[in-house]
Amino acid sequence: MKYRFFSDCHMHSDCSRDAEDPAMMMCEAAERQGLYAITLTDHCECDVYEKEDYNRSVRQSYFEAKKASAVFQGKLRVYAGVELGQPLHNLDATQDVFSTCDFDFVLGSLHNLRGMEDFYYLDYNEQDVDALLARYFDEILEMVRWNGFDSLAHLTYPYRYIVGEKGIPAPLYPEFGDRIDEILSLLARNHKALELNTSGLRQKLGQTLPPLEVLRRFRQLGGTYVTIGSDAHRWGDIGAGVETGLSMLLQAGFDRFTIYVGREPVLLPIE
Ligand SMILES: [Zn+2]
Ligand SMILES: [Zn+2]
């Protein structure tokens, strides 16, 4: 392995409905690869918190991460995280999660706009794509203003489906440059992290979420903290694209990346 502190801070175990491998299996795979640290970040979709049983699964995921952390002590650092989806759509759920589980790391995530389905399910022939993206960046900004997370997950998520899966061209710069700048500056001012999500590299999109130009801009606007995650939904994808992600960070002017322990950033050198 090329990098000494190679870590993966975004992955899903069978405590997420779209993943199948138990946390222990994920940890074993990470240990075999010689990773420095991993953070388990199962889904908690706040807008359907009770309806879809996340109030139970989020506690189970926290328990599994704590258990794995004890089992792998001395072999692999395992941290308990959560991918908090749409936290502002149901603040009672968000509050419940924070009051029950003492997470190391909270990813702030937006999979769907208010009153809409996940971008994965939308029929883009029936949508005004530009208007949809404007709403997306506005809701992201709202979440960044709320400021209750540690790292902003997979900024540009809709592009995975619009551009990657459907092949519909969609603008990023210059159209949404002002909105993106506002998001990135506020993250930097709030001392929050931007996530570099490498899942897009192994999907049709063929690039990280967000792409390099956004990462560069975050640096220019004073950003310090970047977390990297494969967004693995099976053990075979753990660490996938992280090496590419780390070299992208260097290209964007960062010499360290960040992991979170007890909700505090820990900067690790890229070497
Ligand atoms: Zn996600
Ligand atoms: Zn995820």
Side-chain angles (χ1 to χ4, degrees):
M1 191 169 299
K2 206 169 133 196
Y3 294 104
R4 192 166 139 217
F5 295 108
F6 193 104
S7 303
D8 190 341
C9 294
H10 187 155
M11 66 183 65
H12 299 271
S13 74
D14 60 358
C15 293
S16 293
R17 62 184 55 212
D18 55 357
E20 278 174 17
D21 297 332
M24 286 297 172
M25 204 193 257
M26 306 290 282
C27 293
E28 274 166 28
E31 191 209 347
R32 268 201 307 277
Q33 278 195 63
L35 263 70
Y36 176 78
I38 63 163
T39 307
L40 189 67
T41 53
D42 280 308
H43 288 293
C44 178
E45 300 289 277
C46 296
D47 47 345
V48 285
Y49 187 61
E50 269 146 20
K51 190 172 137 207
E52 297 193 4
D53 217 19
Y54 287 102
N55 51 351
R56 187 200 56 79
S57 65
V58 73
R59 288 165 168 82
Q60 184 68 32
S61 172
Y62 179 73
F63 170 75
E64 295 296 337
K66 287 292 173 189
K67 192 167 71 178
S69 166
V71 170
F72 284 84
Q73 197 166 21
K75 295 182 283 189
L76 172 71
R77 291 163 186 80
V78 180
Y79 298 112
V82 63
E83 181 177 2
L84 202 60
Q86 302 77 244
L88 294 182
H89 294 195
N90 182 357
L91 280 169
D92 287 344
T94 303
Q95 201 47 52
D96 188 58
V97 174
F98 287 144
S99 64
T100 358
C101 306
D102 196 11
F103 286 110
D104 286 298
F105 180 48
V106 176
L107 276 168
S109 183
L110 188 69
H111 296 124
N112 57 270
L113 301 173
R114 276 196 185 77
M116 294 187 83
E117 283 188 294
D118 193 309
F119 286 99
Y120 173 82
Y121 294 110
L122 299 184
D123 178 354
Y124 294 98
N125 297 315
E126 290 179 0
Q127 304 281 348
D128 176 345
V129 168
D130 286 23
L132 205 63
L133 288 171
R135 278 183 61 192
Y136 168 73
F137 287 114
D138 287 346
E139 272 210 39
I140 289 278
L141 184 58
E142 205 187 321
M143 193 165 73
V144 175
R145 287 196 180 116
W146 167 66
N147 201 24
F149 59 87
D150 302 315
S151 184
L152 178 62
H154 50 52
L155 180 63
T156 68
Y157 173 78
Y159 293 76
R160 175 194 282 173
Y161 304 109
I162 299 170
V163 181
E165 298 296 326
K166 305 291 174 193
I168 301 169
L172 185 61
Y173 288 106
E175 279 81 348
F176 297 112
D178 290 347
R179 282 179 165 91
I180 294 170
D181 274 7
E182 211 175 335
I183 290 164
L184 300 179
S185 323
L186 188 55
L187 277 177
R189 278 207 304 280
N190 288 345
H191 307 288
K192 296 294 175 182
L194 177 69
E195 180 195 52
L196 186 63
N197 187 300
T198 63
S199 64
L201 292 170
R202 56 182 194 275
Q203 294 164 346
K204 281 189 189 156
L205 184 64
Q207 57 180 4
T208 53
L209 305 162
L212 181 61
E213 54 196 326
V214 175
L215 199 61
R216 278 211 174 97
R217 191 70 185 134
F218 185 50
R219 183 68 184 157
Q220 286 164 4
L221 292 169
T224 305
Y225 305 113
V226 178
T227 65
I228 303 190
S230 66
D231 210 347
H233 282 66
R234 52 196 186 95
W235 69 261
D237 284 336
I238 290 174
V242 170
E243 222 167 82
T244 306
L246 288 168
S247 62
M248 283 172 65
L249 250 75
L250 290 172
Q251 284 177 63
F254 295 90
D255 58 0
R256 294 178 295 174
F257 72 102
T258 304
I259 64 171
Y260 276 79
V261 181
R263 305 284 316 265
E264 291 292 330
V266 176
L267 286 155
L268 296 170
I270 306 174
E271 56 181 40

